[in-house]
Amino acid sequence: MVFFVPSHSAPGQRVTSTVMAMTTSASVPTGPEAAIGGGTVTDRLVDANARYAAAFTDPGMDARPVLRVAVVACMDARLDLHAALGLELGDCHTIRNAGGVVTDDVIRSLTISQRKLGTRSIVLIHHTGCGLESLTEDFRTELELEVGQRPAWAVESFQDVDQDVRQSMQRVRTSPFLLHTDDVRGFVFDVKTGLLREVAPA
């Protein structure tokens, strides 16, 4: 998807952003050897932020997404949503969690996104090879046995990714808190090809 919409900063112009190259977790050593100059991975991120801030200029945007769209996706580190969807800084709201499933907290964020920050469209993105396909609700029992307390949240595991996308679309469309449910579309992102495949609603 490619969108051309004027930014908030100046009519007829788009906000530009600086793209920074980052290594993946597969190329970053873990454990004590991961430390750079005696620091931690978090130290590395803070150092990177200092370099980013040194060249940073205020783009003059407010908090409202330019494209008036919210994207709900899995937190999987292989998904570079801005690159995959042709998005730039300020274009969208991005809501991510394990599996990209629509939970009560996702509905909370979408409700604020629509009612207070003007979004209208919702894009739901699951992906191939999701870790939730290998989990079950037994995970909560395992945690209870380990720590002595059962989590209140559901794992939201699934076996059929297409069906889970349909369930997520249905949860959005039937929420009484959302103002705009006419433009809700669901997709599966292929981590091997980078392509989106649209899932037809139930």
Side-chain angles (χ1 to χ4, degrees), residues 102-115:
V102 174
T103 61
D104 286 345
D105 193 61
V106 167
I107 293 294
R108 177 186 70 89
S109 294
L110 288 173
T111 302
I112 294 170
S113 177
Q114 287 195 352
R115 290 180 176 269

Side-chain angles (χ1 to χ4, degrees), residues 136-154:
T136 68
E137 292 300 322
D138 290 341
F139 181 58
R140 299 170 68 210
T141 302
E142 295 169 8
L143 289 173
E144 182 179 16
L145 292 173
E146 179 182 337
V147 305
Q149 180 177 337
R150 188 173 184 82
W153 40 262

Side-chain angles (χ1 to χ4, degrees), residues 72-76 95-103 106:
V72 179
C74 184
M75 66 185 186
D76 193 292
I95 304 164
R96 302 184 72 161
N97 63 21
V101 295
V102 174
T103 61
V106 167

Side-chain angles (χ1 to χ4, degrees), residues 101-103 107 156 167-175:
V101 295
V102 174
T103 61
I107 293 294
E156 297 281 0
Q167 176 177 275
S168 291
M169 284 192 281
Q170 184 67 11
R171 286 178 177 177
V172 168
R173 289 192 170 117
T174 57
S175 172

Side-chain angles (χ1 to χ4, degrees), residues 21-31 33-36 41 44 77-78:
M22 296 185 70
T23 57
T24 66
S25 58
S27 63
V28 178
T30 59
E33 68 276 12
I36 299 175
V41 171
R44 178 177 181 166
R78 294 170 292 181

Side-chain angles (χ1 to χ4, degrees), residues 5-15:
V5 180
S7 69
H8 294 309
S9 57
Q13 296 182 356
R14 285 185 61 79
V15 174

